[in-house]
């Protein structure tokens, strides 16, 4: 069996991985109100490893460790179905995860330099959910071998079942199992965790935003393209130092969200005296007073809107926009998160069926904050100095062989596009920014002098 996905990616085998331990018959897992809200989107993550290739693996151990870790994730090996109330749930029947093996007819370095976002999707396997998903695998894995060494493993799933942190933890748990160490962040399944309150409050900034967002017309479809900008620790520190007087508490996310937002607006070449808006997406697991476990499985994302007059953005410069983003984050609180959940619950129809989903990533420009992927490690007993671990780059099949790059894409992004601010493989404040925008805007950003001033390394931009 040979399945050519593109000119450079060829699938040569397929199998289904199941868990080692059968699931108790009749077990099901209802999806939460926030899970249902993500119904229009899918999630695709690719981990790139330079030092290893599939021949370096004990393939038997690779499959065995995947089966071991899937025992902890019955919702991953199950199948979607409609419950009696019409809402989605997972039938935990251990039907398994589709796994593909593929060959890439170029080197890893050449791929990162010359592939674009569309071609990168060939490293992940995905088919949209059919009308009857009874035998459809909502989680899929593709293992890709590069010429001359190097490996990319792509994980795809429905966004209804997992957000970026969940997908990353599945992969991290797999690498833990492969290396024979304890799973660092085991999954925590608790569907009622995000359920509307008995005394809901639906008159907050968040509920007003979601209500307006749900009524927006579908955007006109424009051809989208992607590019990744990698910024060094040195340049981020330098830029934050320059902005210290205007915004002393600015974070790398504040800086990069503001920079790319302002440059996208500048690239549009529209008239002055308009309102520019940015939808900001954050993970709020650790922002609740009663914090949810890091391994909470399901969607824990909150979207909010920051806006500014275009003339003020132009006259205030980058420092003004950085402060705007920073103050917006400071204004977010637990009441905003709960009120959003209350609002989604209030939209239920007859019999308790959740309302049809609408596009969450869009139609306005959306920027995802992935800073929560950087987690503190326990301090060393000898030094008593705490350190930080970047979850993405702690996913290692072999000791000390961390990924050289991790890429995230969200399916069904239209409208003004998407910006992701990600941790970098470099320790410190280094960050990667991945954009999915109308292709004319992506091209302009790749040549934008305000961005190039920070001397980014360009990856996956399609520039050969």
């Amino acid at each position: 069996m040979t399945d050519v996905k593109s000119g450079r990616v060829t699938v040569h085998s397929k199998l289904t991985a199941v868990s080692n331990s059968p699931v108790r018959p009749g077990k099901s897992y209802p999806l939460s109100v926030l899970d249902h809200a993500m119904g229009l989107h899918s999630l695709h993550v690719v981990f790139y490893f330079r030092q290893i290739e599939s021949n370096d693996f004990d393939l038997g151990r690779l499959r065995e460790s995947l089966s071991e870790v899937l025992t902890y994730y019955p919702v991953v090996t199950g199948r979607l179905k409609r419950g009696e109330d019409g809402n989605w749930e997972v039938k935990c029947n251990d039907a398994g995860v589709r796994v593909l093996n593929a060959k890439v007819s170029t080197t890893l370095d050449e791929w990162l330099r010359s592939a674009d976002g569309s071609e990168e999707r060939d490293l992940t396997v995905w088919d949209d959910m059919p009308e009857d998903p009874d035998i459809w695998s909502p989680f899929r894995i593709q293992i890709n071998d590069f010429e001359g060494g190097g490996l990319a493993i792509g994980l795809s799933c429905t966004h209804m079942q997992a957000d970026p942190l969940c997908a990353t933890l599945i992969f991290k748990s797999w690498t833990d199992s492969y290396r024979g160490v304890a799973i660092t962040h085991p999954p925590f399944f608790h569907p009622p965790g995000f359920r509307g309150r008995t005394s809901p409050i639906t008159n907050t900034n968040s509920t007003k935003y979601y209500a307006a967002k749900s009524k927006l017309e579908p955007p006109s479809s424009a051809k989208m393209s992607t590019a990744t900008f990698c910024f060094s620790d040195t340049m981020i520190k330098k830029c934050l130092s320059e902005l210290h007087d205007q915004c002393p508490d600015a974070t790398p996310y504040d800086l990069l969200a503001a920079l790319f937002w302002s440059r996208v607006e500048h690239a549009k070449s529209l008239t002055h005296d308009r309102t520019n808006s940015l939808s900001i997406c954050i993970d709020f697991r650790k922002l609740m007073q009663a914090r949810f476990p890091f391994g909470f499985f399901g969607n824990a994302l909150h979207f909010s809107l920051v806006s500014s007059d275009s003339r003020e953005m132009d006259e205030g410069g980058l420092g003004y926009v950085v402060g705007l983003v920073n103050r917006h984050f400071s204004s977010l609180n637990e009441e905003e998160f709960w009120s959003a959940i209350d609002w989604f619950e209030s939209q239920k129809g007859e019999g308790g069926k959740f309302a049809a989903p609408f596009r969450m990533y869009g139609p306005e420009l959306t920027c995802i904050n992935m800073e929560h992927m950087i987690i503190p490690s326990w301090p060393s007993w000898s030094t008593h100095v705490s350190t930080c671990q970047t979850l993405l780059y702690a996913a290692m099949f072999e000791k000390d062989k961390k990924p050289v790059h991790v890429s995230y894409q969200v399916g069904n992004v239209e409208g003004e596009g998407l910006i992701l601010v990600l941790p970098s493989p470099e320790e410190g404040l280094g960050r990667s920014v991945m954009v999915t925008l109308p292709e004319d805007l992506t091209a302009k950003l790749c040549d934008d002098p305000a961005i190039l001033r920070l001397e980014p390394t360009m990856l996956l931009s399609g520039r050969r």
Side-chain angles (χ1 to χ4, degrees):
M1 179 278 288
T2 300
D3 181 10
V4 178
K5 299 186 72 174
S6 77
R8 296 196 285 181
V9 180
T10 303
V11 174
H12 55 77
S13 65
K14 300 179 182 180
L15 57 89
T16 299
V18 298
S19 62
N20 281 345
S21 301
V23 180
R24 173 174 53 83
K27 184 176 182 179
S28 63
Y29 181 85
L31 300 188
S32 76
V33 61
L34 294 184
D35 295 334
H36 280 80
M38 308 305 296
L40 295 182
H41 301 289
S42 56
L43 186 62
H44 312 268
V45 190
V46 181
F47 290 79
Y48 292 91
F49 298 88
R50 175 172 287 114
Q51 301 96 328
I52 57 178
E53 53 185 312
S54 63
N55 291 335
D56 294 330
F57 281 125
D58 177 345
L59 291 179
R61 178 60 188 154
L62 188 67
R63 294 170 184 170
E64 180 185 341
S65 60
L66 179 57
S67 292
E68 287 175 357
V69 79
L70 289 177
T71 301
Y72 295 93
Y73 291 90
V75 301
V76 171
T77 57
R79 296 294 182 263
L80 284 165
K81 68 170 187 175
R82 291 283 190 182
E84 293 182 0
D85 56 4
N87 294 324
W88 288 112
E89 60 183 46
V90 180
K91 181 181 179 182
C92 299
N93 58 3
D94 200 28
V97 173
R98 300 284 188 265
V99 181
L100 276 66
N101 291 281
K103 182 70 177 178
V104 186
S105 60
T106 189
T107 65
L108 173 59
D109 288 332
E110 174 61 22
W111 178 271
L112 291 174
R113 181 168 53 249
S114 63
D116 59 18
S118 176
E119 192 176 22
E120 187 185 42
R121 284 287 291 273
D122 287 334
L123 301 182
T124 65
V125 55
W126 187 249
D127 295 310
D128 289 333
M129 184 170 64
E131 186 174 341
D132 180 6
D134 188 58
I135 61 172
W136 179 76
S137 176
F139 285 82
R140 293 146 187 254
I141 293 170
Q142 184 169 311
I143 302 172
N144 306 274
D145 246 334
F146 288 91
E147 288 186 352
L151 190 75
I153 300 182
L155 171 65
S156 296
C157 62
T158 61
H159 209 318
M160 281 200 302
Q161 288 181 252
D163 62 11
L165 179 57
C166 292
T168 305
L169 287 176
I170 293 171
F171 193 87
K172 173 64 167 59
S173 297
W174 183 13
T175 64
D176 289 343
S177 178
Y178 181 86
R179 291 164 52 208
V181 300
I183 293 177
T184 310
H185 302 287
F188 175 74
F189 299 104
H190 187 55
F194 297 136
R195 179 178 291 170
R197 298 171 292 185
T198 55
S199 300
I201 297 176
T202 57
N203 190 33
T204 64
N205 290 332
S206 294
T207 58
K208 294 173 184 177
Y209 170 53
Y210 281 115
K213 188 180 183 72
S214 68
K215 295 181 175 62
L216 293 175
E217 292 294 326
S220 58
S221 57
K223 186 176 181 181
M224 309 294 278
S225 63
T226 70
T228 300
F229 304 76
C230 302
F231 299 93
S232 69
D233 170 73
T234 299
M235 291 306 299
I236 295 296
K237 286 179 178 176
K238 180 176 182 293
C239 199
L240 288 174
S241 176
E242 293 171 354
L243 299 171
H244 184 267
D245 290 344
Q246 291 173 280
C247 189
D249 299 325
T251 67
Y253 174 83
D254 297 334
L255 167 64
L256 293 171
L259 174 65
F260 278 80
W261 178 24
S262 60
R263 300 320 295 170
V264 166
E265 296 298 344
H266 180 268
K268 292 177 182 176
S269 301
L270 300 176
T271 59
H272 287 295
D273 299 322
R274 67 185 187 278
T275 299
N276 297 331
S277 297
L278 179 70
S279 176
I280 288 179
C281 172
I282 62 168
D283 185 300
F284 62 89
R285 283 171 176 81
K286 293 300 183 182
L287 300 180
M288 309 289 275
Q289 185 174 359
R291 295 186 174 188
F292 278 74
F294 201 65
F296 174 84
F297 198 88
N299 283 278
L301 300 179
H302 181 80
F303 293 79
S304 57
L305 196 68
V306 57
S307 300
S308 177
D309 178 84
S310 59
R311 188 175 297 277
E312 290 180 345
M313 290 179 67
D314 291 341
E315 295 176 353
L318 181 60
Y320 166 80
V321 186
V322 170
L324 198 66
V325 174
N326 179 268
R327 289 190 298 274
H328 177 78
F329 267 105
S330 299
S331 70
L332 295 176
N333 54 53
E334 185 168 347
E335 184 56 45
E336 293 287 340
F337 308 144
W338 279 116
S339 68
I341 296 169
D342 290 338
W343 181 84
F344 278 110
E345 289 273 9
S346 72
Q347 303 303 299
K348 283 182 177 178
E350 185 178 354
K353 184 177 180 179
F354 292 121
F358 50 89
R359 185 170 283 100
M360 299 301 294
Y361 297 96
E364 58 276 290
L365 183 66
T366 305
C367 187
I368 306 177
N369 184 344
M370 303 283 275
E371 298 281 90
H372 62 284
M373 295 285 188
I374 304 173
I375 56 177
S377 303
W378 288 105
S380 164
W381 289 109
S382 58
T383 63
H384 300 285
V385 176
S386 62
T387 59
C388 287
Q389 177 190 64
T390 300
L391 185 63
L392 287 64
Y393 298 98
M396 299 178 290
F397 285 105
E398 302 291 344
K399 186 177 180 181
D400 300 327
K401 292 186 178 180
K402 66 182 182 180
V404 294
H405 180 63
V406 182
S407 177
Y408 290 78
Q409 290 195 47
V410 176
N412 198 20
V413 171
E414 296 182 1
E416 295 192 24
L418 180 64
I419 303 167
L420 294 92
V421 180
L422 303 157
S424 162
E426 178 188 13
E427 294 185 2
L429 301 185
R431 296 291 185 269
S432 297
V433 177
M434 185 172 182
V435 301
T436 301
L437 301 166
E439 60 180 359
D440 61 325
L441 292 181
T442 303
K444 290 180 180 179
L445 290 191
C446 289
D447 295 321
D448 189 285
I451 294 175
L452 297 181
R453 184 178 72 88
L454 274 67
E455 301 177 6
T457 299
M458 300 289 296
L459 298 177
L460 299 164
S461 63
R463 298 191 166 196
R464 299 175 185 263

